[in-house]
Amino acid sequence: MNKKSKWTLLVAVTVVTVGAGVNYRILSAKADTNQSGRTVKEIKKSGEIKIAVFGDLKPYGWVDKNGKRQGYDIELAKKVAKDLGVKVKYVQVNANARVDALNSGEVDLALANFTVTPERKKVIDFAKPYMKVSIGVASKKSKLITKVDQLHGKKLIVNKGTTAETYFTKNYTKASLLKFDSKTQQLAALKDGRADAITDDNSYLFAWVKSHPDYKVGIKKLGEQSYISPGVQKGNKSLLKWTDKEINKLNKNQFFTKDYDKTLAPYFGKDVKSSDITINN
C-alpha cells in the first residue's frame, strides 16, 4: 500500500470512528429526553422539592391567620419532603394553574386536591391515588337543591379547571355557570347571593357546610367516583416511580388515616368517615 492509500484509509477510519461517536451521543441525548422534569437524584442534590398546593382550600390546603400552611395535602407534602431528605418549597396555585405549573417545571409535584381525569392524563402523569371523591352540589337549606333538574335555569358557581366545571359543561347545560378562579371568590359569590348553588368536590363541600350551617350538600354525588392523586410532569419517570412507592408505604403505615383524623375529621360532620375519603390499599 502506498503512502497516499494509507492516508486515505486513516482518514476513512477516523471519519467512521468520529461518526460513531456522534451517533452514540445523539442516541444518548434521545434517551435522556425520555425523562422530563427533575429526577429524584436532582431533587435530593438540590435539597428542595417544589410542591404546588392550594392556599384557600380548607381543610386540604390553606394559610392560617399566623401565615402557616395547614391541611391534609400539606401534611402529605411535609411527609414526602421528609422521606426524600429535603425541604419543601410551596408554590401556591389556583385549580386551573396546576397543569401549567407542572409542565413548565415551576413545580416538581402537585398536591392540590388534584382529581385524576382522562383529559389531564394526556398532559401530565398521576401517581397512585390517596383519596376518593365525587362531585357534589350545596345550596341554602331554605332553598335546598336535591336533584340536578332543580338547577334548570339556575345560576351555579364553579371553580375553573375543576372536574365539577367539566361535568356541568358536558353533562348538564341547563344551568347557568358562574366561573371563578379561586375558592375564595366562588364562596364569596355564594354568600353574596349571586348564585343559587355551588358545585365542587363533595369532600370539600362537606367541610364547608359544617362551618356554614345555613347551607347543606343537597346533592352528595354526581357522576362516577373519582380519585385524588399527586401530579407530576409528563414523562418524569423518576419522580413518578418514587411517588408510587411512597404512596404504597404510607398506606401500609396508615399515614392517610392518621392524616384524616388530624386535619379533616374536625371539619367534617358525623356522617363522613375516614373510609369515605381515604384509600388504604
Side-chain angles (χ1 to χ4, degrees):
M1 184 180 293
N2 59 36
K3 194 172 183 179
K4 183 177 180 181
S5 298
K6 287 181 179 180
W7 175 249
T8 303
L9 178 61
L10 178 61
V11 171
V13 171
T14 302
V15 170
V16 170
T17 303
V18 172
V22 171
N23 287 338
Y24 176 76
R25 286 194 293 273
I26 291 172
L27 290 172
S28 297
K30 286 182 178 179
D32 290 343
T33 60
N34 290 330
Q35 165 65 44
S36 299
R38 296 201 300 167
T39 64
V40 171
K41 185 178 180 179
E42 289 170 334
I43 291 170
K44 287 182 176 182
K45 185 177 180 180
S46 74
E48 177 183 84
I49 182 168
K50 299 175 289 184
I51 301 180
V53 296
F54 283 138
D56 59 355
L57 184 61
K58 198 172 186 178
Y60 297 98
W62 86 99
V63 180
D64 66 20
K65 61 182 180 181
N66 299 315
K68 187 176 180 181
R69 294 194 181 275
Q70 304 280 2
Y72 187 80
D73 286 339
I74 303 301
E75 291 299 312
L76 176 56
K78 289 191 289 187
K79 180 61 175 172
V80 164
K82 181 180 179 181
D83 289 350
L84 275 170
V86 299
K87 295 180 179 180
V88 183
K89 179 182 179 182
Y90 295 109
V91 178
Q92 190 166 307
V93 295
N94 290 326
N96 60 345
R98 292 171 293 188
V99 169
D100 286 342
L102 283 170
N103 285 337
S104 67
E106 183 181 0
V107 300
D108 302 300
L109 193 69
L111 296 176
N113 212 242
F114 218 168
T115 306
V116 180
T117 68
E119 292 78 15
R120 288 172 181 164
K121 287 173 73 174
K122 293 176 182 177
V123 291
I124 66 165
D125 288 328
F126 284 102
K128 291 191 173 183
Y130 61 91
M131 275 183 61
K132 52 193 174 187
V133 67
S134 296
I135 297 167
V137 176
S139 53
K140 273 198 168 184
K141 287 182 178 178
S142 58
K143 298 180 180 179
L144 189 63
I145 291 171
T146 58
K147 298 178 181 179
V148 175
D149 288 343
Q150 291 176 275
L151 290 168
H152 191 164
K154 298 286 196 335
K155 293 181 179 179
L156 179 65
I157 293 171
V158 297
N159 194 189
K160 293 178 183 177
T162 61
T163 49
E165 179 192 17
T166 301
Y167 178 86
F168 277 96
T169 300
K170 289 184 176 181
N171 300 298
Y172 192 82
T173 58
K174 295 178 180 179
S176 177
L177 300 184
L178 273 65
K179 302 181 181 183
F180 295 91
D181 289 312
S182 72
K183 302 293 185 184
T184 302
Q185 291 173 336
Q186 68 172 6
L187 293 174
L190 181 65
K191 289 188 284 186
D192 290 346
R194 282 178 268 165
D196 303 284
I198 183 172
T199 180
D200 214 306
D201 288 350
N202 59 2
S203 56
Y204 166 55
L205 294 177
F206 288 147
W208 188 81
V209 298
K210 189 184 178 195
S211 58
H212 296 81
D214 290 340
Y215 296 85
K216 184 177 180 179
V217 182
I219 301 176
K220 294 183 177 180
K221 182 178 179 181
L222 281 175
E224 297 180 358
Q225 180 171 271
S226 299
Y227 296 92
I228 304 292
S229 292
V232 303
Q233 187 178 135
K234 192 73 173 175
N236 192 336
K237 298 176 182 178
S238 175
L239 186 55
L240 181 64
K241 184 178 180 180
W242 185 91
T243 307
D244 279 341
K245 289 181 178 179
E246 177 75 351
I247 297 296
N248 284 339
K249 184 184 77 173
L250 296 180
N251 268 324
K252 186 177 180 180
N253 296 334
Q254 297 294 304
F255 170 84
F256 295 108
T257 298
K258 296 171 186 175
D259 192 3
Y260 175 91
D261 291 340
K262 178 181 178 180
T263 63
L264 300 186
Y267 294 92
F268 286 168
K270 295 180 180 179
D271 292 339
V272 186
K273 301 177 182 178
S274 172
S275 58
D276 294 327
I277 302 294
T278 61
I279 300 172
N280 293 304
N281 295 328

